[in-house]
Amino acid sequence: MTDELRRRAVDALTAARARTATLTTCVDDHELTAQHSPLMSPLVWDLAHIGNQEEQWLLRTVGGREALRPEIDSVYDAFEHPRAARPTLPLLAPAEARVYASDVRGRVLDILERTPLEGGPLIDAGFAFGMIAQHEQQHDETMLITHQLRKGPVALTAPEPPAGSTQGLPAEVLVPGGPFTMGTSTEPWALDNERPAHQRVVPAFFIDTVPVTCGAYQAFIKDGGYNDPQWWAAEGWDQIRQHDIGAPLFWRRDGGQWLRRRFGVTEPVPADEPVLHVSWYEADAYARWAGRRLPTEAEWEKAARHDQDSDRSRRFPWGDDDPTPSHANLGQRHLRPAPAGSYPDGESPLGVRQLIGDVWEWTASDFLPYPGFAAFPYREYSEVFFGPAHKVLRGGSFGVDAVACRGTFRNWDLPVRRQIFSGFRTARDARPNQDVA
Protein backbone atom coordinates (compact mmCIF):
# COMPACT_ATOMS: atom_id res chain seq x y z
CA MET A 1 0.00 0.00 0.00
CA THR A 2 2.82 2.42 0.84
CA ASP A 3 4.45 1.80 -2.54
CA GLU A 4 1.12 2.49 -4.24
CA LEU A 5 0.70 5.74 -2.30
CA ARG A 6 4.21 6.81 -3.26
CA ARG A 7 3.54 6.09 -6.93
CA ARG A 8 0.33 8.10 -6.72
CA ALA A 9 2.15 11.04 -5.14
CA VAL A 10 5.00 10.90 -7.66
CA ASP A 11 2.56 10.74 -10.56
CA ALA A 12 0.56 13.69 -9.22
CA LEU A 13 3.63 15.83 -8.60
CA THR A 14 5.13 14.92 -11.99
CA ALA A 15 1.93 15.69 -13.88
CA ALA A 16 1.62 19.05 -12.16
CA ARG A 17 5.21 20.01 -12.97
CA ALA A 18 4.82 18.97 -16.62
CA ARG A 19 1.81 21.25 -16.91
CA THR A 20 3.63 24.10 -15.17
CA ALA A 21 6.42 23.70 -17.73
CA THR A 22 3.92 23.87 -20.60
CA LEU A 23 2.44 27.09 -19.26
CA THR A 24 5.78 28.79 -18.61
CA THR A 25 7.85 27.73 -21.65
CA CYS A 26 5.33 28.64 -24.35
CA VAL A 27 6.09 32.37 -24.03
CA ASP A 28 9.28 34.40 -23.75
CA ASP A 29 10.74 35.95 -20.60
CA HIS A 30 9.10 39.30 -21.26
CA GLU A 31 5.66 37.66 -21.26
CA LEU A 32 6.56 35.74 -18.09
CA THR A 33 7.55 38.85 -16.16
CA ALA A 34 4.77 41.12 -17.46
CA GLN A 35 1.57 41.63 -15.54
CA HIS A 36 -1.21 40.93 -18.03
CA SER A 37 -3.98 42.05 -15.67
CA PRO A 38 -3.99 43.64 -12.20
CA LEU A 39 -6.25 40.72 -11.23
CA MET A 40 -3.42 38.26 -11.83
CA SER A 41 0.23 37.77 -10.86
CA PRO A 42 3.04 37.73 -13.41
CA LEU A 43 3.47 34.15 -14.57
CA VAL A 44 6.98 34.07 -13.13
CA TRP A 45 5.60 34.84 -9.65
CA ASP A 46 3.36 31.77 -9.83
CA LEU A 47 6.31 29.66 -10.99
CA ALA A 48 8.54 30.57 -8.03
CA HIS A 49 5.60 30.56 -5.59
CA ILE A 50 4.93 26.93 -6.54
CA GLY A 51 8.53 26.07 -5.70
CA ASN A 52 8.49 28.06 -2.47
CA GLN A 53 5.32 26.38 -1.16
CA GLU A 54 6.80 23.01 -1.99
CA GLU A 55 10.01 23.93 -0.16
CA GLN A 56 8.19 25.16 2.94
CA TRP A 57 5.79 22.23 3.31
CA LEU A 58 7.66 19.22 1.93
CA LEU A 59 11.34 20.08 2.29
CA ARG A 60 11.24 21.88 5.63
CA THR A 61 8.07 20.67 7.41
CA VAL A 62 7.84 17.05 6.27
CA GLY A 63 11.52 16.44 5.51
CA GLY A 64 13.01 18.53 8.31
CA ARG A 65 15.58 19.90 5.89
CA GLU A 66 17.34 23.24 6.19
CA ALA A 67 15.74 26.09 4.23
CA LEU A 68 17.15 26.64 0.73
CA ARG A 69 15.91 30.20 0.12
CA PRO A 70 14.35 31.58 3.35
CA GLU A 71 14.93 35.12 2.14
CA ILE A 72 12.23 34.77 -0.55
CA ASP A 73 9.48 33.45 1.71
CA SER A 74 8.00 36.92 2.14
CA VAL A 75 8.18 37.72 -1.57
CA TYR A 76 6.06 34.68 -2.41
CA ASP A 77 3.61 34.95 0.47
CA ALA A 78 0.23 35.29 -1.25
CA PHE A 79 -1.33 36.93 1.82
CA GLU A 80 1.38 39.51 2.28
CA HIS A 81 1.29 40.96 -1.24
CA PRO A 82 -1.85 41.49 -3.36
CA ARG A 83 -1.60 40.42 -6.99
CA ALA A 84 -1.58 43.98 -8.32
CA ALA A 85 1.57 44.75 -6.30
CA ARG A 86 3.60 41.65 -7.14
CA PRO A 87 5.40 43.04 -10.21
CA THR A 88 7.13 45.56 -7.90
CA LEU A 89 8.66 42.81 -5.75
CA PRO A 90 12.23 41.50 -6.17
CA LEU A 91 11.07 38.42 -8.07
CA LEU A 92 13.36 35.66 -9.23
CA ALA A 93 14.10 35.92 -12.94
CA PRO A 94 12.56 33.17 -15.10
CA ALA A 95 15.75 31.10 -15.40
CA GLU A 96 16.46 31.38 -11.68
CA ALA A 97 12.86 30.49 -10.80
CA ARG A 98 13.03 27.35 -12.96
CA VAL A 99 16.31 26.24 -11.37
CA TYR A 100 14.92 26.88 -7.89
CA ALA A 101 11.69 24.94 -8.49
CA SER A 102 13.64 22.07 -10.07
CA ASP A 103 16.12 21.93 -7.19
CA VAL A 104 13.29 21.78 -4.67
CA ARG A 105 11.53 19.04 -6.62
CA GLY A 106 14.62 16.85 -6.78
CA ARG A 107 15.04 17.02 -3.02
CA VAL A 108 11.32 16.44 -2.43
CA LEU A 109 11.34 13.21 -4.43
CA ASP A 110 14.17 11.98 -2.22
CA ILE A 111 12.12 12.85 0.88
CA LEU A 112 9.06 11.11 -0.56
CA GLU A 113 11.09 7.94 -1.03
CA ARG A 114 12.13 7.99 2.64
CA THR A 115 8.89 9.15 4.30
CA PRO A 116 6.72 6.37 5.83
CA LEU A 117 3.40 8.06 4.81
CA GLU A 118 1.88 7.28 8.17
CA GLY A 119 2.20 8.50 11.73
CA GLY A 120 0.45 11.85 11.64
CA PRO A 121 -2.27 13.73 9.71
CA LEU A 122 0.20 15.66 7.56
CA ILE A 123 1.85 12.53 6.17
CA ASP A 124 -0.89 9.91 6.49
CA ALA A 125 -1.67 8.54 3.01
CA GLY A 126 0.78 11.08 1.60
CA PHE A 127 -1.53 14.02 2.38
CA ALA A 128 1.16 16.72 2.30
CA PHE A 129 2.41 15.54 -1.09
CA GLY A 130 -1.15 15.44 -2.42
CA MET A 131 -1.81 18.91 -1.00
CA ILE A 132 1.21 20.31 -2.83
CA ALA A 133 0.26 18.57 -6.09
CA GLN A 134 -3.20 20.15 -5.77
CA HIS A 135 -1.67 23.52 -4.95
CA GLU A 136 0.49 23.42 -8.07
CA GLN A 137 -2.43 22.38 -10.27
CA GLN A 138 -4.55 25.19 -8.81
CA HIS A 139 -1.83 27.65 -9.77
CA ASP A 140 -1.63 26.05 -13.18
CA GLU A 141 -5.30 26.88 -13.65
CA THR A 142 -4.57 30.40 -12.43
CA MET A 143 -1.76 30.68 -14.99
CA LEU A 144 -4.12 29.39 -17.68
CA ILE A 145 -6.49 32.22 -16.75
CA THR A 146 -3.55 34.62 -17.15
CA HIS A 147 -2.92 33.20 -20.63
CA GLN A 148 -6.56 33.89 -21.50
CA LEU A 149 -6.14 37.50 -20.33
CA ARG A 150 -2.84 37.90 -22.18
CA LYS A 151 -3.11 40.00 -25.35
CA GLY A 152 -0.15 38.49 -27.19
CA PRO A 153 -0.11 35.93 -30.02
CA VAL A 154 -1.41 32.38 -29.65
CA ALA A 155 0.83 30.39 -27.31
CA LEU A 156 -1.29 27.38 -26.34
CA THR A 157 -3.02 24.84 -28.55
CA ALA A 158 -5.04 21.70 -27.84
CA PRO A 159 -7.36 19.35 -29.72
CA GLU A 160 -11.06 20.03 -29.83
CA PRO A 161 -13.27 18.34 -27.19
CA PRO A 162 -15.50 15.44 -28.22
CA ALA A 163 -18.85 16.11 -29.84
CA GLY A 164 -21.93 16.21 -27.68
CA SER A 165 -25.63 16.69 -28.05
CA THR A 166 -28.64 17.33 -25.85
CA GLN A 167 -30.92 15.45 -28.26
CA GLY A 168 -33.03 13.02 -26.28
CA LEU A 169 -32.02 14.55 -22.94
CA PRO A 170 -34.70 16.08 -20.73
CA ALA A 171 -34.10 19.74 -19.91
CA GLU A 172 -34.18 18.99 -16.19
CA VAL A 173 -34.43 16.11 -13.75
CA LEU A 174 -36.14 15.76 -10.39
CA VAL A 175 -33.83 15.15 -7.45
CA PRO A 176 -35.96 13.52 -4.73
CA GLY A 177 -36.02 15.11 -1.31
CA GLY A 178 -34.46 13.58 1.76
CA PRO A 179 -31.12 13.18 3.51
CA PHE A 180 -27.74 12.51 1.94
CA THR A 181 -24.12 12.52 3.03
CA MET A 182 -22.33 15.76 2.12
CA GLY A 183 -18.58 16.23 2.34
CA THR A 184 -16.07 13.53 3.19
CA SER A 185 -14.16 12.09 6.10
CA THR A 186 -12.45 9.36 4.07
CA GLU A 187 -11.02 10.94 0.89
CA PRO A 188 -7.29 10.90 1.76
CA TRP A 189 -6.31 14.09 -0.06
CA ALA A 190 -9.49 16.07 0.62
CA LEU A 191 -8.81 19.57 1.94
CA ASP A 192 -10.11 20.96 5.20
CA ASN A 193 -13.19 22.72 3.82
CA GLU A 194 -14.47 19.43 2.34
CA ARG A 195 -14.52 17.83 5.80
CA PRO A 196 -16.15 16.28 7.74
CA ALA A 197 -18.84 14.12 6.15
CA HIS A 198 -22.23 15.06 7.56
CA GLN A 199 -25.88 14.55 6.81
CA ARG A 200 -27.92 17.17 4.99
CA VAL A 201 -31.63 17.07 4.30
CA VAL A 202 -32.57 18.68 0.99
CA PRO A 203 -36.16 19.13 -0.18
CA ALA A 204 -37.00 17.83 -3.65
CA PHE A 205 -35.89 20.08 -6.50
CA PHE A 206 -35.35 20.11 -10.24
CA ILE A 207 -31.93 20.79 -11.77
CA ASP A 208 -30.76 21.33 -15.35
CA THR A 209 -29.30 18.23 -16.97
CA VAL A 210 -26.55 20.36 -18.60
CA PRO A 211 -24.96 23.75 -17.90
CA VAL A 212 -26.58 26.84 -19.40
CA THR A 213 -25.30 27.29 -22.95
CA CYS A 214 -24.06 30.34 -24.82
CA GLY A 215 -27.12 30.13 -27.06
CA ALA A 216 -29.49 30.22 -24.09
CA TYR A 217 -27.53 33.07 -22.57
CA GLN A 218 -27.75 35.05 -25.81
CA ALA A 219 -31.55 34.91 -25.47
CA PHE A 220 -31.19 36.64 -22.10
CA ILE A 221 -29.05 39.36 -23.69
CA LYS A 222 -31.42 39.77 -26.65
CA ASP A 223 -34.36 40.16 -24.28
CA GLY A 224 -32.65 43.10 -22.59
CA GLY A 225 -31.47 41.17 -19.56
CA TYR A 226 -28.55 43.53 -18.95
CA ASN A 227 -30.85 46.57 -19.09
CA ASP A 228 -33.57 45.45 -16.70
CA PRO A 229 -32.82 45.90 -12.98
CA GLN A 230 -35.62 43.52 -11.91
CA TRP A 231 -33.36 40.53 -12.59
CA TRP A 232 -30.34 41.76 -10.70
CA ALA A 233 -29.17 41.79 -7.13
CA ALA A 234 -28.57 45.42 -6.13
CA GLU A 235 -24.77 44.99 -5.98
CA GLY A 236 -24.78 43.24 -9.35
CA TRP A 237 -26.83 45.98 -10.97
CA ASP A 238 -24.37 48.56 -9.65
CA GLN A 239 -21.49 46.50 -11.01
CA ILE A 240 -22.76 46.19 -14.58
CA ARG A 241 -23.79 49.85 -14.69
CA GLN A 242 -20.47 51.05 -13.32
CA HIS A 243 -18.40 48.93 -15.70
CA ASP A 244 -20.76 49.04 -18.70
CA ILE A 245 -21.08 45.25 -18.83
CA GLY A 246 -23.48 43.86 -21.43
CA ALA A 247 -22.21 40.34 -22.16
CA PRO A 248 -19.85 37.70 -20.75
CA LEU A 249 -16.20 38.66 -20.52
CA PHE A 250 -14.29 38.38 -23.82
CA TRP A 251 -17.49 38.62 -25.92
CA ARG A 252 -18.08 41.41 -28.43
CA ARG A 253 -20.76 42.13 -30.97
CA ASP A 254 -19.76 42.19 -34.65
CA GLY A 255 -22.67 43.04 -36.91
CA GLY A 256 -25.21 40.28 -36.52
CA GLN A 257 -23.12 37.86 -34.47
CA TRP A 258 -21.34 37.50 -31.18
CA LEU A 259 -17.59 36.88 -31.25
CA ARG A 260 -15.27 35.96 -28.42
CA ARG A 261 -11.52 35.92 -27.81
CA ARG A 262 -10.22 32.56 -26.57
CA PHE A 263 -6.49 32.14 -25.87
CA GLY A 264 -5.58 34.59 -28.61
CA VAL A 265 -8.09 33.33 -31.19
CA THR A 266 -11.17 35.35 -32.16
CA GLU A 267 -14.09 33.11 -33.10
CA PRO A 268 -17.89 33.06 -33.25
CA VAL A 269 -19.50 32.23 -29.92
CA PRO A 270 -20.63 28.58 -30.12
CA ALA A 271 -24.30 28.33 -29.24
CA ASP A 272 -24.09 24.76 -27.92
CA GLU A 273 -21.17 25.31 -25.55
CA PRO A 274 -21.64 26.08 -21.83
CA VAL A 275 -21.43 29.81 -21.24
CA LEU A 276 -18.13 30.86 -19.71
CA HIS A 277 -16.64 33.89 -17.93
CA VAL A 278 -19.78 35.08 -16.19
CA SER A 279 -19.92 36.47 -12.67
CA TRP A 280 -22.19 35.17 -9.92
CA TYR A 281 -24.33 38.26 -10.44
CA GLU A 282 -24.78 37.44 -14.14
CA ALA A 283 -25.60 33.80 -13.37
CA ASP A 284 -28.11 34.84 -10.73
CA ALA A 285 -29.73 37.40 -13.06
CA TYR A 286 -30.10 34.87 -15.87
CA ALA A 287 -31.67 32.35 -13.50
CA ARG A 288 -34.22 34.92 -12.30
CA TRP A 289 -34.99 35.93 -15.88
CA ALA A 290 -35.57 32.26 -16.75
CA GLY A 291 -37.97 31.88 -13.81
CA ARG A 292 -35.52 29.68 -11.98
CA ARG A 293 -32.67 30.06 -9.48
CA LEU A 294 -29.14 28.89 -8.85
CA PRO A 295 -28.88 25.59 -6.97
CA THR A 296 -27.59 25.69 -3.43
CA GLU A 297 -24.27 24.02 -2.79
CA ALA A 298 -26.02 21.14 -1.00
CA GLU A 299 -28.39 20.66 -3.94
CA TRP A 300 -25.50 20.65 -6.38
CA GLU A 301 -23.63 18.01 -4.38
CA LYS A 302 -26.69 15.83 -3.93
CA ALA A 303 -27.36 15.91 -7.68
CA ALA A 304 -23.71 15.06 -8.32
CA ARG A 305 -23.04 12.39 -5.72
CA HIS A 306 -26.14 10.80 -4.25
CA ASP A 307 -27.11 7.37 -5.56
CA GLN A 308 -30.77 6.86 -4.73
CA ASP A 309 -30.65 3.08 -5.23
CA SER A 310 -27.78 2.42 -2.83
CA ASP A 311 -28.52 5.48 -0.65
CA ARG A 312 -24.87 6.51 -0.57
CA SER A 313 -22.72 9.35 -1.84
CA ARG A 314 -20.25 8.53 -4.60
CA ARG A 315 -16.83 10.13 -5.08
CA PHE A 316 -17.91 11.32 -8.54
CA PRO A 317 -21.22 11.40 -10.42
CA TRP A 318 -20.34 8.20 -12.32
CA GLY A 319 -19.04 6.25 -9.33
CA ASP A 320 -15.90 5.94 -7.25
CA ASP A 321 -13.31 5.52 -10.02
CA ASP A 322 -10.95 8.38 -10.85
CA PRO A 323 -11.87 10.44 -13.93
CA THR A 324 -10.82 9.29 -17.39
CA PRO A 325 -11.09 11.22 -20.68
CA SER A 326 -14.46 9.55 -21.27
CA HIS A 327 -15.88 10.92 -18.00
CA ALA A 328 -15.05 14.62 -17.99
CA ASN A 329 -13.23 17.51 -19.64
CA LEU A 330 -10.35 18.17 -17.23
CA GLY A 331 -6.66 18.97 -17.05
CA GLN A 332 -6.30 21.43 -19.94
CA ARG A 333 -6.78 18.50 -22.32
CA HIS A 334 -8.94 20.87 -24.37
CA LEU A 335 -8.88 24.65 -24.22
CA ARG A 336 -12.63 25.06 -24.08
CA PRO A 337 -15.73 23.47 -22.59
CA ALA A 338 -17.23 20.56 -24.50
CA PRO A 339 -20.69 21.02 -26.07
CA ALA A 340 -23.65 20.62 -23.74
CA GLY A 341 -24.65 16.98 -23.47
CA SER A 342 -21.11 15.63 -23.81
CA TYR A 343 -19.61 12.85 -21.66
CA PRO A 344 -22.56 10.47 -21.19
CA ASP A 345 -20.15 8.16 -19.32
CA GLY A 346 -19.82 10.84 -16.68
CA GLU A 347 -23.47 11.43 -15.90
CA SER A 348 -24.95 11.06 -12.44
CA PRO A 349 -27.40 8.31 -11.41
CA LEU A 350 -30.27 10.67 -12.26
CA GLY A 351 -28.85 11.53 -15.68
CA VAL A 352 -27.27 14.92 -14.97
CA ARG A 353 -24.25 15.57 -17.21
CA GLN A 354 -21.05 17.61 -17.06
CA LEU A 355 -21.16 18.12 -13.32
CA ILE A 356 -17.40 17.55 -13.29
CA GLY A 357 -15.17 19.50 -15.67
CA ASP A 358 -16.00 21.99 -18.45
CA VAL A 359 -17.00 24.99 -16.28
CA TRP A 360 -16.94 25.84 -12.60
CA GLU A 361 -20.58 26.21 -11.62
CA TRP A 362 -21.74 29.06 -9.44
CA THR A 363 -24.09 28.07 -6.62
CA ALA A 364 -26.41 30.19 -4.52
CA SER A 365 -24.43 29.49 -1.35
CA ASP A 366 -21.97 31.55 0.64
CA PHE A 367 -18.65 29.86 1.45
CA LEU A 368 -19.13 28.57 4.99
CA PRO A 369 -17.58 25.82 7.12
CA TYR A 370 -19.23 22.47 7.55
CA PRO A 371 -20.35 21.42 11.05
CA GLY A 372 -17.27 20.16 12.85
CA PHE A 373 -14.83 21.97 10.55
CA ALA A 374 -11.22 22.13 11.74
CA ALA A 375 -8.61 24.19 9.91
CA PHE A 376 -5.77 22.02 8.62
CA PRO A 377 -2.92 22.40 8.06
CA TYR A 378 -3.20 26.21 8.07
CA ARG A 379 -6.04 28.73 8.55
CA GLU A 380 -5.25 30.68 5.42
CA TYR A 381 -6.34 27.93 3.04
CA SER A 382 -10.06 28.14 3.88
CA GLU A 383 -10.98 29.66 7.21
CA VAL A 384 -10.07 33.26 6.46
CA PHE A 385 -12.42 33.23 3.43
CA PHE A 386 -15.53 31.98 5.22
CA GLY A 387 -18.47 34.36 5.19
CA PRO A 388 -20.92 36.10 2.87
CA ALA A 389 -18.25 37.82 0.75
CA HIS A 390 -17.47 34.67 -1.26
CA LYS A 391 -19.79 32.43 -3.25
CA VAL A 392 -19.20 28.71 -3.76
CA LEU A 393 -18.41 27.19 -7.16
CA ARG A 394 -18.51 23.46 -7.71
CA GLY A 395 -17.51 20.85 -10.27
CA GLY A 396 -14.27 22.08 -11.80
CA SER A 397 -13.49 23.41 -15.28
CA PHE A 398 -11.57 22.25 -18.33
CA GLY A 399 -8.62 24.04 -16.73
CA VAL A 400 -8.53 22.12 -13.44
CA ASP A 401 -6.76 18.80 -13.03
CA ALA A 402 -8.46 15.71 -11.65
CA VAL A 403 -6.21 15.74 -8.57
CA ALA A 404 -7.87 19.00 -7.53
CA CYS A 405 -11.39 18.11 -8.57
CA ARG A 406 -13.83 15.63 -7.01
CA GLY A 407 -17.45 15.46 -5.99
CA THR A 408 -16.68 17.09 -2.63
CA PHE A 409 -14.21 19.73 -3.86
CA ARG A 410 -15.20 23.32 -3.04
CA ASN A 411 -14.04 26.41 -4.88
CA TRP A 412 -15.00 29.95 -3.96
CA ASP A 413 -14.62 33.46 -5.29
CA LEU A 414 -16.02 36.97 -5.11
CA PRO A 415 -19.36 37.30 -6.92
CA VAL A 416 -17.91 39.94 -9.29
CA ARG A 417 -15.24 37.61 -10.71
CA ARG A 418 -15.49 36.95 -14.46
CA GLN A 419 -11.96 36.04 -15.56
CA ILE A 420 -12.27 32.59 -13.97
CA PHE A 421 -13.60 29.63 -15.98
CA SER A 422 -17.07 30.00 -14.49
CA GLY A 423 -20.49 29.03 -15.79
CA PHE A 424 -23.63 27.69 -14.10
CA ARG A 425 -26.76 25.60 -14.30
CA THR A 426 -30.16 26.44 -12.85
CA ALA A 427 -32.65 24.77 -10.54
CA ARG A 428 -36.21 25.20 -9.29
CA ASP A 429 -38.26 24.05 -6.34
CA ALA A 430 -40.43 20.97 -6.67
CA ARG A 431 -44.03 20.96 -5.49
CA PRO A 432 -44.66 19.20 -2.16
CA ASN A 433 -46.12 16.14 -3.92
CA GLN A 434 -43.03 15.81 -6.13
CA ASP A 435 -40.73 14.38 -3.49
CA VAL A 436 -40.16 11.12 -5.34
CA ALA A 437 -39.00 10.47 -8.89
Side-chain angles (χ1 to χ4, degrees):
M1 178 62 75
T2 299
D3 288 344
E4 183 181 338
L5 288 170
R6 283 201 180 93
R7 281 194 298 273
R8 184 186 179 208
V10 169
D11 289 348
L13 290 167
T14 301
R17 188 52 48 88
R19 187 174 173 204
T20 299
T22 296
L23 290 161
T24 55
T25 59
C26 62
V27 291
D28 61 23
D29 285 2
H30 172 73
E31 296 283 354
L32 288 176
T33 57
Q35 186 172 45
H36 301 284
S37 165
L39 296 172
M40 310 303 288
S41 309
L43 291 165
V44 74
W45 185 92
D46 288 285
L47 174 59
H49 170 77
I50 286 167
N52 185 250
Q53 286 291 289
E54 188 166 335
E55 181 192 346
Q56 290 192 51
W57 283 104
L58 300 184
L59 226 60
R60 303 181 200 171
T61 305
V62 173
R65 302 284 182 88
E66 188 174 339
L68 291 179
R69 300 289 300 266
E71 77 280 3
I72 68 172
D73 289 355
S74 174
V75 174
Y76 295 101
D77 186 331
F79 286 89
E80 190 169 337
H81 307 287
R83 288 176 175 176
R86 290 172 189 171
T88 66
L89 300 172
L91 303 179
L92 300 184
E96 189 178 7
R98 290 191 184 99
V99 169
Y100 168 62
S102 178
D103 187 14
V104 170
R105 174 56 56 83
R107 296 166 191 256
V108 160
L109 293 177
D110 179 65
I111 289 169
L112 176 56
E113 185 63 30
R114 300 165 185 268
T115 300
L117 305 188
E118 60 182 5
L122 195 60
I123 60 171
D124 283 348
F127 174 82
F129 299 94
M131 178 184 73
I132 289 300
Q134 291 178 81
H135 173 265
E136 182 162 355
Q137 287 284 6
Q138 288 169 318
H139 274 271
D140 288 340
E141 184 175 17
T142 298
M143 288 194 284
L144 188 62
I145 293 168
T146 301
H147 275 283
Q148 168 63 11
L149 289 161
R150 191 178 62 85
K151 298 293 178 62
V154 174
L156 296 168
T157 59
E160 294 297 295
S165 172
T166 57
Q167 187 173 1
L169 284 177
E172 62 179 10
V173 298
L174 173 67
V175 180
F180 82 105
T181 299
M182 187 172 185
T184 180
S185 296
T186 58
E187 187 72 31
W189 290 358
L191 303 172
D192 60 2
N193 63 64
E194 301 171 65
R195 300 173 181 270
H198 59 286
Q199 190 174 88
R200 290 283 181 98
V201 177
V202 177
F205 66 98
F206 287 89
I207 192 167
D208 293 340
T209 53
V210 297
V212 171
T213 63
C214 295
Y217 199 85
Q218 286 178 47
F220 168 66
I221 300 173
K222 186 176 181 180
D223 195 47
Y226 279 91
N227 299 310
D228 192 338
Q230 71 172 310
W231 310 126
W232 296 83
E235 300 86 352
W237 182 249
D238 290 344
Q239 184 76 11
I240 66 163
R241 294 296 96 191
Q242 181 180 350
H243 298 280
D244 194 26
I245 295 171
L249 188 62
F250 306 115
W251 286 28
R252 66 178 175 85
R253 191 76 175 169
D254 182 32
Q257 69 175 335
W258 285 102
L259 302 178
R260 71 175 181 188
R261 180 170 59 83
R262 182 178 61 83
F263 297 107
V265 175
T266 298
E267 60 189 11
V269 171
D272 63 348
E273 193 173 288
V275 68
L276 192 63
H277 297 302
V278 290
S279 69
W280 183 90
Y281 291 124
E282 288 169 293
D284 178 63
Y286 172 94
R288 295 185 197 210
W289 169 82
R292 298 172 69 83
R293 58 177 174 80
L294 295 179
T296 66
E297 182 182 15
E299 288 173 335
W300 188 98
E301 187 167 327
K302 185 171 186 180
R305 298 185 63 213
H306 187 64
D307 183 348
Q308 188 79 5
D309 291 338
S310 62
D311 192 27
R312 73 177 188 91
S313 290
R314 301 170 165 191
R315 294 180 66 219
F316 295 99
W318 55 86
D320 295 334
D321 293 337
D322 288 337
T324 70
S326 72
H327 289 126
N329 181 7
L330 294 166
Q332 201 181 313
R333 187 182 305 114
H334 313 292
L335 287 173
R336 64 195 304 162
S342 298
Y343 300 104
D345 290 349
E347 72 179 22
S348 75
L350 293 174
V352 185
R353 294 193 184 177
Q354 293 168 283
L355 286 156
I356 298 293
D358 287 309
V359 295
W360 286 107
E361 298 186 15
W362 288 111
T363 73
S365 299
D366 297 337
F367 184 48
L368 299 172
Y370 290 159
F373 167 84
F376 178 79
Y378 58 104
R379 290 185 62 248
E380 290 79 10
Y381 181 71
S382 303
E383 187 175 347
V384 298
F385 296 102
F386 289 147
H390 294 87
K391 295 294 186 181
V392 174
L393 302 103
R394 299 298 296 264
S397 74
F398 66 89
V400 68
D401 188 79
V403 75
C405 181
R406 50 195 160 262
T408 57
F409 193 92
R410 307 173 75 195
N411 190 8
W412 65 93
D413 215 325
L414 299 171
V416 299
R417 288 287 185 251
R418 309 172 79 222
Q419 82 276 15
I420 59 177
F421 300 125
S422 53
F424 63 102
R425 72 181 71 217
T426 68
R428 68 180 175 93
D429 296 342
R431 296 192 302 273
N433 63 343
Q434 291 178 298
D435 59 350
V436 293

